[in-house]
Amino acid sequence: MKKILITLALVATFSFSSYAQNWLTVKGGGGIGTNLGYSRNVNAGVATNFGLGYKHQISKRMMLEGDLLLDSRVSDFYTGFTDIDEQPIYFSTAATYIQVPITLQYKIPFKKKELVPYRMGQPKSYWFIEGGPHLAYGLNVTSYNDSLVLDQWADQDSDTFTTKDLTPRNFDLGVTVGVGINFNLGDEGKRRLIIGTRANYGFINLYRDNRLGVATNFSAVGYIALDISLTSRKHIKHRW
């Protein structure tokens, strides 16, 4: 958690020391969340994602964004059993993370003429694509421990699972990619509306011991965000 805060502080320090547009972002949304790689079926559930962000314009077409988000998701793991009606029985899991994605955005204006030479600002409206790494720290994470797998090792004292083995990891590292549209809301471009979608893919296995299985985080969310300009000038001159 300390590394995350230090990273955000460095980004903020760099941003305010540079002569460029910068923005405070408020965003929130939802979609689906699931776990990939598990040997049995996993049903996707609801995922929510909301929080604050900071944007720094580094060129006419490029923006750097760092977010601090509360990321929650649920999913259902198939237990391998059925009820008396022969319907599959699922175990519900839930997780809440503090997620810190750092993405680089590439802007594609609706009207290319809005990109004025030697002036770095924001066009009235534009598409953007983005991507970058994310870190996630779990405030509350649960996982499904398959009873058949546990029974398989029950009689082997040297290979039984410890309490720590059965506790899911609360740290994740992955990538975030997305696409969206950014609109000017007037007021000389000081406020902007963003409608976008992001996919978050985690690299780290939820289980500490691979014998328990493999389950990595994945979510796809849509969101609405509001950009609030922290720069008094509409355009910044540059020499690139």
Side-chain angles (χ1 to χ4, degrees), residues 18-21 56-62 107 114-123 233-240:
S18 303
Y19 296 101
Q21 302 283 76
H56 174 73
Q57 188 171 1
I58 57 179
S59 74
K60 288 186 294 184
R61 287 188 178 267
M62 304 293 286
K107 301 189 296 184
E114 293 186 70
L115 290 176
V116 182
Y118 302 107
R119 300 175 73 188
M120 187 167 65
Q122 295 271 48
R233 291 167 291 176
K234 184 176 180 180
H235 293 280
I236 307 272
K237 292 184 178 179
H238 62 86
R239 297 182 179 275
W240 324 320

Side-chain angles (χ1 to χ4, degrees), residues 4-66:
I4 293 174
L5 295 176
I6 291 172
T7 300
L8 288 177
L10 289 175
V11 170
T13 300
F14 170 77
S15 301
F16 279 110
S17 64
S18 303
Y19 296 101
Q21 302 283 76
N22 41 72
W23 308 79
L24 173 67
T25 302
V26 181
K27 64 174 55 178
I32 61 171
T34 189
N35 295 97
L36 304 179
Y38 197 67
S39 58
R40 292 202 179 109
N41 185 39
V42 179
N43 283 348
V46 176
T48 60
N49 196 284
F50 62 91
L52 299 174
Y54 178 83
K55 288 182 180 178
H56 174 73
Q57 188 171 1
I58 57 179
S59 74
K60 288 186 294 184
R61 287 188 178 267
M62 304 293 286
M63 299 278 285
L64 182 66
E65 179 174 358

